[in-house]
Amino acid sequence: MNIRSDDIRDDDGLCEVIEHDEAALAVARAAVPADGHLKRARDLFDALGDDTRLRIVAALARTELCVCDLAQVAGVSESAVSHQLRLLRNLDLVTFRRQGKRAVYRLADECVRDLLSSALGHVAEGGGVR
């Protein structure tokens, strides 16, 4: 059974009645990813929840950079950047290529760029601010 909008209290956002919409529940349950995919997505969001890693990803969304340049952008040591890049590589968020003696990093794919862009766009529009 569907819940009418006038059945919802404005003060706390809780329903005053408990009536399940089985059709909506079936759609919602089908949309929930398998546990393994949920864990990978959570790991991805955890990785992007760190200021240093987020600075690295934001910089790489614009251009390829080596570790020493990323350290300058992130404001941390090269060792700290290397540690963060290892984590980002393990999550397939960044990749690198050799350019002579340098390892030049870039985002692994457009999905990472899109995720960052969506998050920053949401914030720019006032989303997430309370």
Side-chain angles (χ1 to χ4, degrees):
M1 173 169 281
N2 290 325
I3 298 173
R4 297 184 330 254
S5 62
D6 58 344
D7 290 336
I8 299 178
R9 295 171 49 188
D10 289 334
D11 56 339
D12 60 8
L14 297 176
C15 298
E16 291 182 11
V17 297
I18 298 176
E19 296 177 356
H20 299 290
D21 182 338
E22 294 301 327
L25 282 172
V27 170
R29 286 183 179 121
V32 175
D35 288 346
H37 287 111
L38 284 174
K39 182 191 179 318
R40 291 280 296 170
R42 185 190 68 232
D43 291 346
L44 183 146
F45 284 115
D46 284 348
L48 296 177
D50 176 85
D51 288 350
T52 299
R53 289 189 293 265
L54 199 51
R55 284 185 187 103
I56 290 169
V57 170
L60 294 176
R62 293 295 183 126
T63 188
E64 296 180 345
L65 294 165
C66 70
V67 173
C68 55
D69 292 336
L70 284 167
Q72 291 293 309
V73 170
V76 297
S77 69
E78 290 178 29
S79 175
V81 166
S82 291
H83 175 76
Q84 301 303 338
L85 287 168
R86 188 174 312 111
L87 187 144
L88 294 170
R89 275 195 330 264
N90 288 341
L91 291 170
D92 297 320
L93 295 173
V94 301
T95 187
F96 74 96
R97 63 181 172 80
R98 288 281 173 197
Q99 187 177 47
K101 294 184 178 185
R102 297 172 30 153
V104 180
Y105 284 82
R106 64 182 176 270
L107 295 184
D109 56 42
E110 287 299 312
C111 292
V112 180
R113 184 175 282 105
D114 293 345
L115 181 62
L116 176 67
S117 178
S118 292
L120 294 175
H122 179 70
V123 170
E125 293 172 4
V129 178
R130 299 244 175 213

